[in-house]
Amino acid sequence: MITSFARWLGVSFTPRRRSTHKATLKDLAGIRRPLLHAIEDCIDQQALRLRTKIESARTPQELWMLRNDAFQLISQQHNQSVAAERINELIQCFEGWLEPKQLMRIK
């Protein structure tokens, strides 16, 4: 119905494409490892909670959503420029799992 309505308005509408395959455990490990590495020198209770969330995430999208928590944690332990550098290095791990427009660098 949305497509019909969009066509009636003269607007091009194409549904969002999702990844054609589901991430395997090996795929998730390939994303988890660098994310955990980014916070490995953070050693407080908040870091322990984040590690638990990272280990229990079941999709690349869930892991991507945890990058904000990682940024906050790294910023508190170091500074925002270190946090931005570490989080930006993770983008390549998510390529192919998220839409390219979601893979924005932190400035």
Side-chain angles (χ1 to χ4, degrees), residues 1-13:
M1 181 163 156
I2 293 172
T3 306
S4 299
F5 185 66
R7 202 173 319 133
W8 180 74
L9 290 173
V11 176
S12 175
F13 177 79

Side-chain angles (χ1 to χ4, degrees), residues 39-81:
I39 63 167
E40 74 181 348
D41 60 350
C42 301
I43 52 172
D44 61 4
Q45 192 65 28
Q46 184 181 0
L48 180 60
R49 282 192 295 272
L50 181 55
R51 283 184 185 87
T52 301
K53 287 180 183 180
I54 292 169
E55 291 294 342
S56 64
R58 297 178 303 195
T59 66
Q61 291 78 10
E62 287 179 29
L63 289 166
W64 179 253
M65 297 304 291
L66 293 173
R67 76 184 174 89
N68 185 50
D69 294 342
F71 179 84
Q72 295 298 324
L73 181 65
I74 298 164
S75 292
Q76 290 170 359
Q77 298 285 319
H78 300 284
N79 60 52
Q80 287 186 349
S81 63

